């Protein structure tokens, strides 16, 4: 249902919800032991008790902070399970002559026929309905208090329900009703523990990782030199469920459709960003973050969602793909949908539906931005982070359920909105682009062909194909391995490329591509362009594995003349700083080279790049892209290759000076060695740890001298027992995105 159709009544409902959640959040932050002396609207119903903590133990929701909040314990329940509640009366109810109902409502205009309003009569001793229906039975009755057990359907609508108790006296049947409105927000979630639920996940270890774990890793960088950033999902924080409900309200998804995980996830991908108006987080990639927060400064989702909720739903600035993925993981897990962050290294953004990423170069080897017509916007992202969500897909053929790709980063419109997924990984792997949602786009991200075109006067349309690479895109797809945790290395990375694509070079992989081509009209002509076979000079661009910031590096191309005649080579070497989306930022070096190779001769073309050439040209994540293009004068053979890598930075070390004890002050130090020959100033440290400390940002009134070891100590009081991960980032004017994490054991 669109926002316009939902009308002013829904707008008022959202405004009231925003105000209520914001008030609740402030009260929870400032709450002191105060008595509740509010009067009941219904004199003979004195109180309703939801047994929030007790029910939470059975519903696997005890970690949600709202369940045990001193201000007001809100029940957090999972569908497909019964729960208990008690009604304390001013006098015993005469069940033979009087009636009592538990009334449940969802949304601004609850309707029984849409499942958004439910009347449960109180009286019978046993459940009589199947598990897909609401049901109520009297568990105990001592006259003054009636204890009920209520069955939640396994396909119940998910979100914040309101409860009330209605009574009808013996003389008022069919006419006047008295009502007691419960003040609690009753959250009903998807249930991965329930076999009938669409989000059911059988494996207990996987449920622990993808539903209940509140920290994880998001992999970033280059495919040969990636690193995992710890992220605090914090889905159990006391303001996350209210924020998730507000996000759903603003998505425009009909309340009657909120029992479908596929529709809920699709709605979330369109509402976590601001492109569709009113979203949580604004995307930005140009490095201009002065009026907000730099994307690499975030350490988790809680600070973002708290700012969103406390500001009354105003968009937060700024995010990039891995931040959107962290947010989506948080909201999905909070709602009970198993979810994980997934990183695709060398990710294609195919803007014209050709299943290719086309790059155009002029006769001198310079890339022609936006192509010869000015509207070619294909790009290769060094990495792109999206999500997998686990669910059944009854709308697809058998075998296409399970993990579904979904993406909250605003890249391209789908059904006239910026939204993406959920799309079956099995459909992507097979190239079944006719299955919803957005399979063609997601297939291209992991399996498009990379095509280089260069100006050629002899060509009918002015360009000839220099290179077609079937295997450059989708070099690896990583997520955090189930159950593993590695603060200092990447041993917890799980390569799930095989779930997205068949092994490169196999018949199955090519069949998947041809399946996709057959279903994509725009792709068919691009797969017919011929390439030159007259190739007798061999070129190889040497890989650059790792460069520490402040150190030199070089671009190296090895050339071998395999022919029996001399060959004249004209080569162009380029190195650019790039945003991780593949968009060029600044030229670092551009060097033409011309030489002659004798038969059988090998030559190495080397361009050395010093720190002075690149330090002031680096942008977000310190990524560099190298292009090498060459032409053989005698045969018109053309060759091109590209590579990208990350300028590495030191890790932020985190150490506790003593064992961490729950509810006692703990001191933790943060340190790294300045790798530069310059002073660091404008220093700032951000830290966050679920169960350890709420998000905090410190502006440090000090500088760090060249090659000095920076050290800073913070104190906090752990709130929960167990292994807890603290995440921190350091930034200054000269360096950014120095990050680290540490898992600390909190004991009694």
């Amino acid at each position: 249902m669109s926002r316009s159709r939902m009308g002013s009544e829904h707008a008022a409902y959202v405004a009231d919800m925003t105000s209520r959640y914001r008030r609740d959040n402030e009260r929870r932050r400032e709450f002191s032991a105060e008595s509740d002396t509010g009067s009941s609207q219904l004199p003979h119903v004195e109180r309703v008790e939801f047994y929030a903590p007790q029910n939470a133990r059975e519903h696997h929701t005890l970690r949600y902070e709202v369940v045990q909040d001193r201000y007001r314990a809100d029940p957090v329940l999972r569908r497909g399970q019964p729960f208990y509640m008690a009604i304390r009366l001013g006098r015993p109810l005469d069940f033979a002559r009087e009636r009592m109902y538990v009334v449940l409502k969802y949304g601004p205009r609850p309707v029984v026929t849409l499942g958004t309003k439910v009347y449960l009569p109180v009286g019978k001793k046993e459940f009589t309905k199947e598990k897909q229906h609401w049901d109520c039975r009297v568990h105990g009755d001592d006259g003054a208090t009636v204890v009920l057990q209520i069955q939640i359907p396994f396909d119940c609508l998910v979100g914040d329900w309101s409860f009330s108790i209605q009574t009808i006296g013996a003389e008022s049947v069919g006419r006047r009703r008295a009502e007691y409105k419960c003040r609690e927000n009753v959250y009903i979630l998807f249930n991965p523990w329930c076999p009938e639920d669409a989000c059911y996940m059988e494996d207990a270890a996987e449920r622990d990782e993808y539903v209940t774990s509140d920290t994880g890793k998001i992999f970033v960088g280059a495919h040969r030199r990636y690193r995992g950033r710890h992220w605090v999902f914090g889905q159990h924080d006391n303001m996350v469920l209210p924020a998730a409900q507000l996000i759903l309200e603003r998505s425009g998804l009909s309340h009657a459709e909120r029992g479908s995980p596929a529709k809920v996830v699709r709605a979330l991908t369109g509402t976590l960003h601001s492109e569709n108006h009113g979203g949580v987080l604004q995307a930005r990639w140009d490095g201009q973050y002065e009026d907000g927060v730099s994307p690499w400064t975030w350490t988790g989702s809680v600070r973002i969602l708290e700012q969103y909720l406390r500001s009354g739903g105003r968009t937060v600035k700024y995010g990039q793909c891995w931040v959107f993925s962290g947010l989506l993981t948080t909201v999905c897990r909070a709602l009970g949908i198993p979810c994980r962050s997934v990183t695709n290294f060398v990710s294609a953004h195919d803007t014209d539906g050709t299943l290719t990423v086309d790059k155009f170069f002029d006769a001198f080897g310079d890339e022609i931005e936006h192509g010869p017509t000015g509207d070619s916007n294909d790009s290769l992202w060094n990495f792109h982070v999206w999500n997998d969500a686990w669910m059944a897909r009854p709308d697809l053929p058998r075998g296409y359920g399970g993990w579904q790709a979904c993406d909250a980063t605003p890249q391209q419109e789908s059904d006239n909105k910026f939204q993406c997924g959920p799309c079956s990984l099995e459909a992507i792997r097979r190239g079944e682009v006719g299955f919803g949602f957005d399979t063609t786009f997601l297939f291209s991200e992991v399996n498009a062909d990379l095509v280089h075109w260069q100006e050629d006067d002899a060509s009918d349309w002015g360009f000839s194909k220099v290179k077609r690479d079937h295997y450059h895109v989708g070099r690896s797809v990583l997520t955090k391995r189930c159950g593993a945790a590695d603060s200092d290395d990447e041993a917890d990375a799980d390569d799930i490329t095989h779930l997205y694509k068949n092994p490169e070079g196999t018949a199955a992989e090519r069949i998947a591509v041809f399946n996709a081509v057959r279903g994509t009209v725009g792709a068919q002509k691009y797969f017919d362009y011929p390439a030159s076979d007259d190739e007798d000079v061999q070129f190889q661009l040497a890989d650059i594995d790792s460069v520490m910031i402040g150190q030199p590096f070089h671009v190296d191309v090895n050339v071998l003349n395999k022919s029996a005649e001399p060959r004249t080579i004209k080569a162009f070497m380029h190195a650019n700083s790039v945003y991780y989306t593949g968009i060029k930022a600044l030229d670092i070096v551009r060097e033409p080279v011309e030489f002659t190779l004798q038969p059988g001769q090998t030559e190495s073309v080397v361009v050395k790049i010093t720190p002075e050439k690149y330090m002031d040209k680096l942008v977000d994540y310190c990524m560099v892209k190298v292009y090498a293009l060459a032409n053989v004068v005698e045969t018109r053979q053309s060759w091109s290759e590209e590579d990208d890598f990350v300028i590495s930075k030191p890790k932020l070390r985190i150490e506790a000076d003593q064992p961490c004890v729950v509810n006692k002050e703990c001191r933790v130090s943060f340190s790294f060695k300045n790798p530069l020959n310059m002073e660091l100033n404008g220093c700032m440290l951000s830290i966050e740890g679920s169960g350890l400390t709420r998000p905090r940002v410190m502006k440090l009134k000090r500088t760090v001298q060249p090659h000095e070891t920076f050290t800073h100590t913070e104190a906090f009081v752990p709130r929960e027992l167990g292994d807890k991960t603290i995440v921190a980032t350091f930034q200054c004017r000269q360096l950014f995105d120095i990050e680290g994490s540490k898992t600390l054991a909190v004991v009694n």
Side-chain angles (χ1 to χ4, degrees):
M1 185 182 293
S2 68
R3 288 180 176 84
S4 59
R5 288 180 59 196
M6 297 180 91
S8 59
E9 187 176 0
H10 180 261
Y13 177 78
V14 173
D16 177 71
M17 172 183 290
T18 304
S19 177
R20 174 163 50 92
Y21 286 155
R22 183 172 55 196
R23 260 193 332 269
D24 286 351
N25 188 47
E26 292 302 321
R27 285 287 300 274
R28 284 183 169 117
R29 291 168 65 91
E30 302 170 2
F31 179 75
S32 59
E34 59 185 47
S35 61
D36 181 3
T37 58
S39 60
S40 169
Q41 289 181 274
L42 183 64
H44 57 275
V45 175
E46 296 181 346
R47 182 181 175 187
V48 173
E49 172 59 58
F50 280 99
Y51 302 119
Q54 294 88 342
N55 282 312
R57 290 190 181 91
E58 299 299 320
H59 285 247
H60 309 281
T61 59
L62 192 58
R63 293 185 63 189
Y64 285 87
E65 292 180 0
V66 297
V67 168
Q68 303 188 61
D69 195 276
R70 290 186 304 146
Y71 163 54
R72 185 188 65 218
D74 287 338
V76 181
L77 308 168
R78 296 192 187 275
R79 63 187 196 174
Q81 284 185 241
F83 70 94
Y84 291 95
M85 62 181 293
I87 304 168
R88 190 169 71 193
L89 303 168
R91 60 172 176 80
L93 191 71
D94 184 352
F95 284 101
R97 305 179 63 240
E98 299 172 314
R99 298 182 187 179
M100 182 162 64
Y101 294 89
V102 178
V103 183
L104 299 79
K105 299 177 183 178
Y106 187 29
R109 294 188 299 274
V111 180
V112 171
T113 54
L114 295 178
T116 54
K117 189 173 187 179
V118 179
Y119 284 92
L120 293 175
V122 175
K124 61 184 181 181
K125 299 295 185 181
E126 301 294 337
F127 290 140
T128 58
K129 297 181 180 179
E130 299 296 327
K131 289 184 69 176
Q132 69 267 35
H133 299 289
W134 288 96
D135 205 356
C136 175
R137 74 179 189 90
V138 176
H139 178 73
D141 177 13
D142 65 0
T145 302
V146 179
V147 179
L148 305 178
Q149 188 180 32
I150 294 179
Q151 173 180 286
I152 308 174
F154 59 72
D155 58 354
C156 176
L157 308 176
V158 166
D160 176 6
W161 287 75
S162 65
F163 275 56
S164 64
I165 309 300
Q166 291 186 2
T167 58
I168 305 174
E171 71 287 352
S172 305
V173 174
R175 296 192 296 276
R176 186 174 178 275
R177 300 184 181 208
E179 185 173 37
Y180 175 94
K181 294 182 179 179
C182 305
R183 68 171 189 160
E184 289 83 356
N185 302 313
V186 181
Y187 295 100
I188 298 179
L189 312 180
F190 293 102
N191 192 351
W193 284 263
C194 175
E196 294 86 2
D197 194 292
C199 290
Y200 174 62
M201 181 171 266
E202 183 176 9
D203 188 274
E206 291 184 343
R207 285 198 305 264
D208 187 58
E209 179 69 43
Y210 304 127
V211 183
T212 61
S213 179
D214 55 11
T215 59
K217 258 190 183 178
I218 301 175
F219 293 93
V220 299
H223 69 94
R224 285 192 307 273
R225 190 74 177 179
Y226 60 82
R227 62 187 172 95
R229 294 184 64 112
H230 265 98
W231 186 262
V232 180
F233 299 121
Q235 69 267 30
H236 305 115
D237 190 275
N238 61 23
M239 41 65 57
V240 170
L241 275 179
Q245 181 66 17
L246 179 58
I247 291 164
L248 272 179
E249 288 303 323
R250 291 190 161 192
S251 73
L253 180 66
S254 165
H255 294 80
E257 295 180 303
R258 297 185 194 177
S260 163
K263 292 180 179 178
V264 167
V265 166
R266 186 161 176 80
L268 292 175
T269 68
T271 315
L272 290 181
H273 60 78
S274 62
E275 292 297 320
N276 295 328
H277 306 295
V280 177
L281 191 64
Q282 183 174 335
R284 192 156 196 169
W285 287 275
D286 60 4
Q288 305 301 312
Y289 312 123
E290 291 79 6
D291 61 336
V293 176
S294 303
W296 57 78
T297 304
W298 301 115
T299 51
S301 304
V302 172
R303 182 178 161 206
I304 298 170
L305 291 172
E306 186 169 42
Q307 184 175 330
Y308 174 72
L309 194 63
R310 296 185 70 189
S311 68
R314 287 201 297 271
T315 297
V316 178
K317 301 175 180 180
Y318 290 101
Q320 293 175 353
C321 69
W322 55 276
V323 185
F324 287 106
S325 176
L327 270 179
L328 185 57
T329 303
T330 295
V331 177
C332 282
R333 290 185 184 182
L335 293 175
I337 301 172
C339 189
R340 63 189 183 188
S341 287
V342 171
T343 305
N344 178 36
F345 288 96
V346 189
S347 188
H349 185 187
D350 172 24
T351 59
D352 51 10
T354 62
L355 303 185
T356 61
V357 172
D358 300 289
K359 295 190 176 183
F360 296 87
F361 301 87
D362 64 20
F364 303 101
D366 289 322
E367 186 176 3
I368 303 173
E369 292 189 27
H370 309 298
T373 60
D375 60 358
S376 178
N377 296 308
D378 290 355
S379 61
L380 278 181
W381 295 35
N382 292 54
F383 68 90
H384 181 42
V385 189
W386 60 71
N387 295 77
D388 288 342
W390 180 271
M391 66 189 72
R393 287 297 299 274
D395 56 319
L396 298 181
R398 184 180 179 86
Y400 288 84
W403 288 118
Q404 311 286 312
C406 43
D407 192 348
T409 302
Q411 287 184 287
Q412 197 155 302
E413 286 193 350
S414 172
D415 296 333
N416 301 313
K417 289 180 66 176
F418 283 92
Q419 57 189 350
C420 185
C423 173
S424 167
L425 266 60
E426 185 66 8
I428 297 171
R429 189 180 67 83
R430 295 187 180 194
E432 301 285 0
V433 297
F435 291 155
F437 301 93
D438 309 306
T439 315
T440 301
F441 183 78
L442 286 156
F443 177 88
S444 292
E445 290 194 289
V446 296
N447 229 338
D449 284 1
L450 172 64
V451 183
H452 285 182
W453 306 88
Q454 189 170 24
E455 281 183 333
D456 184 357
D457 293 338
S459 169
D460 293 337
W461 69 295
F463 286 83
S464 60
K465 184 165 59 176
V466 180
K467 169 193 177 75
R468 185 186 198 103
D469 192 332
H470 301 307
Y471 312 122
H472 187 76
V473 170
R475 301 295 286 270
S476 61
V477 184
L478 301 182
T479 190
K480 179 185 173 297
R481 186 155 49 88
C482 179
D486 190 337
S487 295
D488 302 318
D489 208 345
E490 318 309 336
D492 50 3
D494 188 9
D495 190 329
I496 57 169
T497 311
H498 63 284
L499 298 180
Y500 275 88
K501 57 196 296 189
N502 294 302
E504 298 284 18
T506 63
E509 186 269 339
R510 283 292 94 188
I511 289 172
V513 172
F514 294 142
N515 281 343
V517 170
R518 281 197 298 269
T520 311
V521 174
Q524 294 166 10
K525 60 180 180 180
Y526 279 83
F527 279 74
D528 293 330
Y529 275 113
S532 172
D533 296 323
D534 198 9
E535 299 182 352
D536 55 19
V537 177
Q538 178 180 304
F539 299 87
Q540 183 176 15
L541 176 65
D543 293 337
I544 300 174
D545 187 28
S546 176
V547 178
M548 177 57 70
I549 193 165
Q551 299 298 309
F553 65 93
H554 57 83
V555 181
D556 192 350
V557 175
N558 298 312
V559 189
L560 169 63
N561 180 6
K562 298 187 295 182
S563 76
E565 300 176 1
R567 292 290 183 250
T568 304
I569 312 298
K570 290 184 177 181
F572 306 90
M573 315 284 279
H574 297 258
N576 309 318
S577 63
V578 292
Y579 297 100
Y580 84 94
T581 58
I583 303 301
K584 174 182 172 181
L586 296 167
D587 285 317
I588 294 175
V589 69
R590 177 183 181 277
E591 191 164 318
V593 181
E594 184 171 348
F595 58 94
T596 300
L597 282 178
Q598 298 302 317
Q601 182 183 355
T602 299
E603 182 75 27
S604 290
V605 182
V606 180
V607 176
K608 186 174 182 179
I609 302 174
T610 63
E612 291 74 22
K613 290 183 178 179
Y614 71 77
M615 278 298 299
D616 61 347
K617 296 179 180 178
L618 297 177
V619 293
D620 297 4
Y621 312 109
C622 296
M623 291 184 167
V624 175
K625 182 173 284 291
V626 173
Y627 287 112
L629 292 91
N631 296 290
V632 181
V633 174
E634 292 80 5
T635 63
R636 295 180 58 82
Q637 176 188 343
S638 296
W639 168 86
S640 66
E641 187 60 87
E642 63 181 77
D643 189 24
D644 52 74
F645 61 95
V646 178
I647 304 289
S648 301
K649 286 168 283 191
K651 291 280 288 185
L652 187 64
R653 292 181 58 83
I654 304 175
E655 297 292 340
D657 61 0
Q658 59 191 15
C660 293
V661 179
V662 69
N663 296 325
K664 290 188 178 180
E665 184 176 276
C666 175
R667 296 180 65 83
V668 174
S669 65
F670 306 84
S671 63
F672 74 96
K673 185 176 180 180
N674 177 9
L676 303 181
N677 295 317
M678 62 179 71
E679 179 184 87
L680 308 182
N681 52 52
C683 303
M684 186 168 69
L685 185 69
S686 302
I687 66 172
E688 182 174 356
S690 184
L692 291 171
T693 178
R694 296 191 65 79
R696 61 173 86 171
V697 180
M698 290 79 66
K699 293 184 178 179
L700 309 178
K701 296 179 180 180
R702 58 161 296 183
T703 60
V704 184
Q705 298 304 307
H707 304 289
E708 177 192 353
T709 297
F710 161 86
T711 301
H712 179 81
T713 301
E714 281 289 318
F716 53 84
V717 178
R719 306 189 306 274
E720 296 179 12
L721 290 169
D723 290 342
K724 303 296 176 183
T725 301
I726 191 166
V727 182
T729 64
F730 171 92
Q731 70 177 78
C732 62
R733 294 188 180 93
Q734 297 75 23
L735 275 177
F736 50 84
D737 197 27
I738 305 293
E739 57 89 21
S741 59
K742 183 75 172 181
T743 300
L744 304 174
V746 181
V747 298
N748 273 315

